[in-house]
Amino acid sequence: MKMLSSWLRRAPATDPRCLRLPAAAALDERPLASQRLVVVDLETSGLNLQRDHLLAIGAVVIEDGAIDFSQQFECTLHQAEHRAGPSTLIHGIAPSAVAAGREPAEALLEFMAFVDDSPLLAFHAPFDQHMLERALRDELGYRLHHPFLDVAVLAPLLCPEAPPHKGLDDWLRHFHLQASERHHASADALATAELALILFSKARRQGLDNLAELQQQAQSWKRRQLAPSL
C-alpha cells in the first residue's frame, strides 16, 4: 500500500494536450493490406526497465500493404542526467546529441500524433512497449492503449521451418534483408517493417489475413513456448 501511494504521488496529472490525441483503435478483421501500422524502434540508455530512459524514437508506416516513405518519424530526446555508458557503444548516440535533443514531453506528443489510432509493431515488442508506456506516463501522465504486435513472435509463428532465430539480425539474414545502420532507431524500424511485410505475405498464404487473428495466434504460440514440456 505504501509503494502504491508513493507511485500515485509521483505520477503527473494528464497533460491536457493529450486530450487531443486520437483514441487507439482495436485490432479488427480488415485485411492486412488495408491496415495502417506504425513500426517503431526505440534506443534507450540501457536495458533496465525501471531505471533506464528513452533516448531516441524511430518509426515508419506500413499502409495499403507497403512501406509509406512519406510517413516517417525520428527524434532524439533530451535527457538532462544522461551520461555515456556501455549502451553508447551500441547505439552511438553521444551525450552531446542527447543534450541537444527535444524536450521529452513535446517529442512524445508529436510521436503519438504521428501514431494516430494505429496499432504498433516492434521487434521484441514488450521492451519497447514498456519503455514507451513509462515515458508517456512519466512525462505526460498518459496511458498508452495502442496494441503492440511483436515481430519477434510473428516470425517463428509463421516460419516454423526456420532455425530457432532469436534476434533481428538473424531474421534479416534469413530473408536476405539488410539494415542500413543497425542500432539506429529509424534504420531498425525500417528493417523491421521490411521483415513484417514478408511475414504478412506468409500469413495470408496461411489463411491469416487480419490483425485480430494474427495477434490471437501469436499469443497462443507464445503460451505454448512458455508451457512446461511433458
Side-chain angles (χ1 to χ4, degrees):
M1 191 71 178
K2 187 175 181 179
M3 289 179 63
L4 176 60
S5 54
S6 174
W7 183 88
L8 289 172
R9 284 196 301 272
R10 289 198 303 270
T14 302
D15 189 308
R17 293 174 295 178
C18 294
L19 300 176
R20 297 196 292 269
L21 295 173
L27 299 180
D28 58 36
E29 296 183 355
R30 285 177 295 157
L32 292 172
S34 67
Q35 296 278 353
R36 180 184 188 268
L37 303 105
V38 177
V39 186
V40 62
D41 184 82
L42 308 179
E43 299 298 340
T44 61
S45 60
L47 299 178
N48 188 296
L49 292 171
Q50 305 306 322
R51 294 197 303 270
D52 286 307
H53 45 260
L54 184 57
L55 299 181
I57 305 172
V60 298
V61 168
I62 294 175
E63 192 163 20
D64 298 326
I67 298 169
D68 184 349
F69 289 97
S70 70
Q71 300 185 68
Q72 298 187 60
F73 185 92
E74 181 176 15
C75 75
T76 301
L77 281 66
H78 174 77
Q79 300 288 359
E81 303 301 319
H82 178 67
R83 300 291 181 270
S87 63
T88 306
L89 299 174
I90 299 173
H91 53 59
I93 304 174
S96 58
V98 176
R102 297 188 58 191
E103 286 302 316
E106 298 292 335
L108 289 163
L109 276 169
E110 185 176 337
F111 176 63
M112 292 310 301
F114 172 83
V115 171
D116 198 62
D117 66 348
S118 301
L120 293 149
L121 273 73
F123 196 91
H124 290 150
F127 178 81
D128 293 76
Q129 183 175 5
H130 182 94
M131 295 300 286
L132 182 59
E133 285 177 344
R134 205 185 100 204
L136 288 165
R137 183 189 70 228
D138 292 350
E139 296 293 338
L140 296 166
Y142 177 84
R143 289 189 63 190
L144 183 70
H145 293 289
H146 293 66
F148 260 83
L149 287 90
D150 191 355
V151 178
V153 172
L154 296 179
L157 164 69
L158 297 168
C159 307
E161 76 289 350
H165 298 317
K166 299 296 184 184
L168 179 58
D169 286 322
D170 297 324
W171 284 105
L172 295 180
R173 282 192 295 269
H174 182 81
F175 289 113
H176 308 290
L177 298 172
Q178 291 185 339
S180 60
E181 186 180 357
R182 281 289 281 115
H183 302 295
H184 180 279
S186 292
D188 283 355
L190 178 57
T192 303
E194 291 173 345
L195 174 58
L197 287 176
I198 293 174
L199 297 174
F200 289 164
S201 177
K202 288 183 173 292
R204 284 189 289 269
R205 291 199 294 271
Q206 296 174 35
L208 299 170
D209 194 25
N210 65 74
L211 292 177
E213 189 173 6
L214 201 54
Q215 181 76 311
Q216 183 181 31
Q217 292 294 322
Q219 290 170 345
S220 296
W221 181 91
K222 196 169 183 178
R223 284 194 295 269
R224 290 196 300 271
Q225 302 312 301
L226 295 173
S229 56
L230 299 177

